[in-house]
Amino acid sequence: MRSRTNIEAVLQALAVALSAAALTACAPRSPEEEELLGEETGVVQAGISSATGTVGGKRVWAHFSNPPAFSGRDYTITDELKRLIHSTPAGGTIRGAIHSISIDGVADALLAAQTRGVSVSLVLDGKNAASTDPAVATLKKIANAKFCTNASGGGGCIGTSSAGNMHTKMFTFSQATDPSGVLYPNVSWFGSSNLTYASGPDASNNAITVYDAVTLYDGLNAHFSDMWNRRHYANNDYYDSASGRGYYLSNPADVYASPEAVGQTDTIVTRLNDVTPDANCRLRIGMAFVTTGRPELLNQVLRYRNGGCAVWMVVSGNSTDGIDMAQSVYNSLLDAGVNIRRHDKVHDKFFLVYGKYGSAYQYRVYTGSQNWSQDALNENEEIFVKLAGETGTTHPLYDGYYAHFNDSYNSGVTCTKSNYPCR
């Protein structure tokens, strides 16, 4: 693995400090100011690396990768994950769900944790079992590591579809330190980044770490146990609100897990229903790709627009093939007035909302592993996480995601109906 040089690390630390200072020192932006900032074009961003705040009474850190700011490879998220692993003391417990891995340093850190007396348990998508990558070979030395497969040939742990994957990116730590060195119990980490170069440090990603939140920690561990034990349900109906299965509620964050049976609810749509869109509302979406397989999600975004909400999207793609978005969805969104830009190597899956929840406005982050696809809803193991809202005069996590969104959006290609596929 190529490691970041000392100079790069110092420069990143300086960038983090300056970004954090700017975010906390500035007064909240008005919606009009946000709209103007969101409409800049052709700007090369310095790249925000982290943000921290308190939601639901718990300390939360967000970390971001923005490869253009680091010569095409930004190790911020994987370095933070390694730091968490290294900080877990002997006698502690680490549980992890890994979709794919090729970064040796993460695998080495997990094996080193086991060696020093940490109990390490991992579930991995089944396709990794046949890999000859050295990182996978290292993980096969972990005593409690399972590669999930099912009778249909899929790589999921819970889902039984042949096309299904274990797509969750999640770790829990019985104890770990925060970036300032304070040791906390019950630490949870999740986000969009895989542990491969292509869909990790070489792409735009985000990750959240929540400290000392026992209810969230226990919920994610319960979900891990379901994956570990390969609990299957008829019609892939794992998430079931009536029975209380597949979701975990806590003060700092609520977690909703896939898969869910076809024709029932949409995990993301139901969460976004909390907002009453109006002229003050702002919705920003960072997404790896968009298919026709989530019609209710398309309708939800159109509902926001019809209610007066301003909406921006940045979606992955390249100058050869164009944007990774189905044309019918693309046209519907543009017709509704959604601002869309294409940017290379976006692997994020987040919704950033400023809107009216009940009678009060909140700033809120929704993130996790779910793409805008039918597979993510009905076949894969995924998590979609609704962080508690920020309601004060400062909202550092929202601001961090806002800056991360603009790192891609502001230098993206503007999409129109006439230039599809927006090359």
Side-chain angles (χ1 to χ4, degrees):
M1 181 187 78
R2 192 188 82 178
S3 62
R4 178 179 289 153
T5 66
N6 290 337
I7 293 175
E8 287 174 321
V10 170
L11 289 174
Q12 184 193 354
L14 179 60
V16 172
L18 290 173
S19 296
L23 290 173
T24 54
C26 293
R29 289 181 291 271
S30 69
E32 290 75 18
E33 289 172 321
E34 286 196 316
E35 187 167 3
L36 288 172
L37 285 170
E39 288 301 313
E40 292 178 16
T41 185
V43 178
V44 177
Q45 297 293 308
I48 183 169
S49 293
S50 67
T52 185
T54 300
V55 296
K58 302 299 180 181
R59 175 60 62 184
V60 177
W61 278 81
H63 288 87
F64 308 102
S65 59
N66 178 34
F70 294 95
S71 302
R73 180 164 287 177
D74 182 356
Y75 287 104
T76 296
I77 291 175
T78 51
D79 279 354
E80 176 61 14
L81 179 58
K82 287 191 296 181
R83 190 198 63 75
L84 288 163
I85 296 167
H86 286 309
S87 75
T88 301
T93 300
I94 297 173
R95 298 177 180 90
I98 299 174
H99 174 61
S100 55
I101 186 166
S102 63
I103 298 175
D104 293 342
V106 176
D108 292 343
L110 288 165
L111 183 58
Q114 176 177 268
T115 300
R116 71 172 177 273
V118 177
S119 173
V120 179
S121 298
L122 305 173
V123 291
L124 299 94
D125 184 280
K127 70 176 180 297
N128 293 281
S131 172
T132 58
D133 190 279
V136 175
T138 298
L139 291 188
K140 288 180 178 179
K141 299 176 184 177
I142 300 292
N144 295 316
K146 283 188 178 181
F147 296 86
C148 290
T149 55
N150 60 49
S152 301
C157 302
I158 294 172
T160 57
S161 165
S162 61
N165 297 304
M166 202 298 295
H167 196 244
T168 302
K169 307 93 167 59
M170 176 188 85
F171 278 83
T172 63
F173 306 86
S174 59
Q175 287 184 300
T177 63
D178 73 358
S180 66
V182 177
L183 184 66
Y184 286 94
N186 307 316
V187 178
S188 302
W189 179 98
F190 47 83
S192 66
S193 182
N194 289 318
L195 303 180
T196 60
Y197 292 99
S199 53
D202 292 357
S204 174
N205 277 295
N206 69 94
I208 289 286
T209 312
V210 184
Y211 292 87
D212 193 18
V214 64
T215 306
L216 175 62
Y217 174 82
D218 287 346
L220 291 177
N221 285 339
H223 182 50
F224 176 90
S225 293
D226 286 346
M227 291 190 286
W228 178 268
N229 292 314
R230 302 182 187 184
R231 293 192 173 128
H232 305 308
Y233 295 87
N235 303 313
N236 273 345
D237 195 21
Y238 176 64
Y239 170 77
D240 180 65
S241 60
S243 68
R245 185 175 64 238
Y247 67 94
Y248 315 95
L249 308 182
S250 69
N251 287 338
D254 297 337
V255 179
Y256 301 86
S258 301
E260 182 176 8
V262 173
Q264 297 197 14
T265 62
D266 184 298
T267 314
I268 296 176
V269 170
T270 307
R271 311 290 82 77
L272 295 179
N273 272 341
D274 294 344
V275 176
T276 301
D278 60 18
N280 294 316
C281 168
R282 298 291 183 264
L283 171 63
R284 289 175 172 83
I285 303 170
M287 192 61 57
F289 60 88
V290 174
T291 73
T292 59
R294 302 285 284 271
E296 294 305 318
L297 183 50
L298 170 61
N299 290 337
Q300 181 69 287
V301 176
L302 298 181
R303 181 181 77 88
Y304 271 58
R305 279 296 300 133
N306 291 336
C309 191
V311 182
W312 297 265
M313 294 182 67
V314 62
V315 179
S316 195
N318 57 57
S319 59
T320 300
D321 300 320
I323 194 168
D324 202 348
M325 180 186 290
Q327 187 170 11
S328 60
V329 180
Y330 178 97
N331 288 340
S332 294
L333 291 169
L334 288 172
D335 284 342
V338 174
N339 303 286
I340 303 173
R341 290 189 183 170
R342 175 191 63 76
H343 194 282
D344 288 3
K345 299 181 179 179
V346 173
H347 194 253
D348 288 299
K349 306 98 170 48
F350 70 84
F351 295 76
L352 184 65
V353 178
Y354 171 72
K356 192 174 183 181
Y357 293 79
S359 60
Y361 286 91
Q362 295 182 12
Y363 299 83
R364 193 184 289 267
V365 176
Y366 303 78
T367 189
S369 65
Q370 267 209 44
N371 286 305
W372 187 314
S373 70
Q374 178 270 331
D375 288 356
L377 178 63
N378 303 130
E379 300 185 64
N380 297 347
E381 279 93 71
E382 311 268 7
I383 57 173
F384 183 70
V385 184
K386 179 179 77 172
L387 293 182
E390 295 175 289
T391 58
T393 55
T394 60
H395 26 79
L397 292 173
Y398 177 96
D399 286 352
Y401 272 83
Y402 174 87
H404 177 61
F405 176 89
N406 280 341
D407 282 341
S408 295
Y409 183 90
N410 286 352
S411 55
V413 176
T414 299
C415 299
T416 65
K417 288 182 71 175
S418 62
N419 75 354
Y420 185 84
C422 194
R423 293 189 177 94

